[in-house]
């Protein structure tokens, strides 16, 4: 039974999901490029695989804002989230542990994570470089042969990189430290479906970037969690 006081603006509620069988069990499968609007906690929440500028989800958020209707995430939040330096500065100011970062036109220490900052850069396409030859090719690519700067994050030799999918700030099967970090990121940006790239440095998790999450990337537990929110059953 749905939680009291919740309603949904999704126009295809009866047909939200198809199903597939995994290990003999039926699991919900959400159609590619689907965009959902769910009413909860006094606002419309837009759920999508990408919130990039000029996409349908972005314009849906903007329409709500222009009409004076409460909506999450905010248009400024999704724009800030996909630019690594802006994302990390906002997170740092909110007290979230983040990787040290710098912007460069050509130099990068080793090892480092590199992110493009050009108009078409995708934060999910980060690269780890460990020597000059490797860095030269990556930098040439992400800067379009020097036309744009890039962001680098210096790594310790022992650091490891992890990713975590957050559904309304909740995670599936992650340790307490990662779960708490995902919750804090959601409190700041309010993006219902997002992937956190994290660096584990001396047993401490640091936020490296945020990136959009495609539905096929979701594990069975994550699909079930998202499906529960979409069906307004998240507290069951």
């Amino acid at each position: 039974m749905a939680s009291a006081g919740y309603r949904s603006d999704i126009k295809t509620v009866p047909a939200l999901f198809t199903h597939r069988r995994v290990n003999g069990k039926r699991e919900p499968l959400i159609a590619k490029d689907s965009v959902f609007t769910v009413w909860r906690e006094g606002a419309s929440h837009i759920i999508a695989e990408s919130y990039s500028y000029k996409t349908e989800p972005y314009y849906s958020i903007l329409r709500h804002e222009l009409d004076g209707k409460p909506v999450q995430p905010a248009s400024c939040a999704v724009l800030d989230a996909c630019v690594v330096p802006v994302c990390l500065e906002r997170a740092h100011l909110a007290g979230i542990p983040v990787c040290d970062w710098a912007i460069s036109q050509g130099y990068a220490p080793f090892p480092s994570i590199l992110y493009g900052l050009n108009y078409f850069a995708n934060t999910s396409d980060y690269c780890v470089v460990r020597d000059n030859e490797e860095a030269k090719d990556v930098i040439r690519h992400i800067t379009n042969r020097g036309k744009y700067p890039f962001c680098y994050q210096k790594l310790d030799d022992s650091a490891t990189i992890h990713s975590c999918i957050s559904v309304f700030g909740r995670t599936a099967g992650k340790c307490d430290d990662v779960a708490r970090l995902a919750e804090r990121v959601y409190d700041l940006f309010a993006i219902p479906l997002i992937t956190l790239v994290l660096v584990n440095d001396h047993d401490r998790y640091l936020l490296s970037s945020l990136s959009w999450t495609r539905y096929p990337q979701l594990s069975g537990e994550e699909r079930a969690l998202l499906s529960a929110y979409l069906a307004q059953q998240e507290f069951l």
Side-chain angles (χ1 to χ4, degrees):
M1 183 174 180
S3 300
Y6 280 51
R7 68 177 177 82
S8 172
D9 298 321
I10 302 169
K11 60 184 178 182
T12 55
V13 173
L16 281 179
F17 320 111
T18 56
H19 292 79
R20 68 176 182 179
R21 287 198 171 275
V22 178
N23 296 326
K25 297 180 180 179
R26 282 166 57 84
E27 286 193 352
L29 184 63
I30 304 171
K32 177 184 176 183
D33 297 328
S34 295
V35 180
F36 304 102
T37 305
V38 172
W39 180 268
R40 62 188 308 271
E41 298 179 351
S44 293
H45 293 253
I46 310 298
I47 303 168
E49 293 179 294
S50 171
Y51 300 85
S52 298
Y53 182 55
K54 291 188 176 182
T55 59
E56 179 188 347
Y58 177 79
Y59 281 126
S60 179
I61 292 168
L62 206 58
R63 186 183 68 248
H64 280 77
E65 290 177 339
L66 293 173
D67 289 343
K69 298 176 181 178
V71 64
Q72 295 287 3
S75 57
C76 61
V78 296
L79 294 179
D80 289 350
C82 65
V83 181
V84 174
V86 178
C87 171
L88 295 187
E89 187 62 17
R90 280 195 60 175
H92 172 68
L93 292 174
I96 296 170
V98 304
C99 292
D100 291 334
W101 59 271
I103 296 175
S104 174
Q105 291 283 351
Y107 165 78
F110 308 123
S112 288
I113 306 177
L114 305 188
Y115 291 95
L117 296 178
N118 62 73
Y119 297 120
F120 307 103
N122 187 331
T123 48
S124 64
D125 294 334
Y126 67 85
C127 296
V128 178
V129 295
R130 302 185 182 279
D131 58 57
N132 193 53
E133 284 304 311
E134 188 178 27
K136 222 176 349 180
D137 290 339
V138 171
I139 291 171
R140 185 184 302 115
H141 172 67
I142 64 177
T143 64
N144 194 9
R145 298 182 178 274
K147 291 182 180 178
Y148 304 98
F150 64 93
C151 175
Y152 70 78
Q153 299 168 7
K154 176 71 172 71
L155 296 172
D156 283 349
D157 290 333
S158 60
T160 55
I161 302 171
H162 308 263
S163 65
C164 164
I165 291 176
S166 166
V167 181
F168 283 90
R170 296 172 63 182
T171 60
K174 302 299 180 182
C175 69
D176 290 343
D177 289 344
V178 170
R180 280 192 294 267
L181 201 154
E183 185 177 1
R184 294 177 69 185
V185 168
Y186 178 72
D187 288 342
L188 176 62
F189 290 100
I191 301 176
L193 181 63
I194 196 77
T195 295
L196 288 70
V197 176
L198 307 172
V199 171
N200 188 310
D201 186 9
H202 299 100
D203 294 324
R204 183 175 64 138
Y205 285 96
L206 307 172
L207 179 65
S208 174
S209 68
L210 299 176
S211 62
W212 312 134
T213 307
R214 298 294 176 185
Y215 298 134
Q217 294 176 255
L218 300 175
S219 69
E221 286 183 280
E222 291 158 350
R223 275 194 303 276
L225 181 57
L226 178 58
S227 300
Y229 275 97
L230 291 174
Q232 305 171 3
Q233 298 284 335
E234 67 270 25
F235 299 114
L236 296 184

